Amino acid sequence: MKIEYRNEDYRNENIYKVGNVIVDDGSVYLICQKTAHNGCKKYFLIDLYTATVSSAMYESLKELERTAGDGDDTLVKAKLIVDYKLDGDAEDENTK
């Protein structure tokens, strides 16, 4: 994963928006939203190095920021390449 650190001007903006990528203590997280069948939305972080949910589910982005954020997070631009295969397919980088 290639990470490009943003300039200091971004530090003062609200970085807790769905789809933003942040760095906290060397770990890279994607801010995510899940909508339940009843329309209720939950917000959480996914660790992009381990591909695991790294936080509890929160009712709002403000709650996520208040609980999970430590004030030392940095907004970054990350180019993420997803490598996957469908069931039954051979894993081959040259397959189109």
Side-chain angles (χ1 to χ4, degrees):
M1 179 183 330
K2 182 179 178 182
I3 299 173
E4 174 187 324
Y5 289 89
R6 296 289 189 148
N7 63 35
E8 290 298 315
D9 293 336
Y10 283 90
R11 258 185 108 64
N12 298 326
E13 294 183 23
N14 180 11
I15 62 175
Y16 280 84
K17 296 179 183 172
V18 173
N20 278 358
V21 176
I22 60 173
V23 170
D24 180 50
D25 291 331
S27 295
V28 182
Y29 301 99
L30 175 65
I31 300 171
C32 301
Q33 171 186 302
K34 178 176 175 57
T35 304
H37 295 293
N38 63 1
C40 182
K41 293 180 181 177
K42 299 285 187 175
Y43 300 90
F44 57 98
L45 299 174
I46 291 185
D47 186 319
L48 291 181
Y49 286 126
T50 62
T52 57
V53 174
S54 297
S55 71
M57 297 286 200
Y58 298 96
E59 300 292 327
S60 70
L61 287 172
K62 289 201 180 294
E63 183 185 2
L64 172 62
E65 179 181 10
R66 184 174 55 249
T67 308
D70 61 6
D72 201 22
D73 299 333
T74 305
L75 177 66
V76 296
K77 179 179 178 183
K79 181 177 182 181
L80 179 65
I81 298 172
V82 179
D83 184 18
Y84 67 93
K85 69 175 190 160
L86 300 175
D87 288 342
D89 287 348
E91 187 171 348
D92 183 1
E93 291 181 8
N94 298 320
T95 301
K96 294 183 181 183

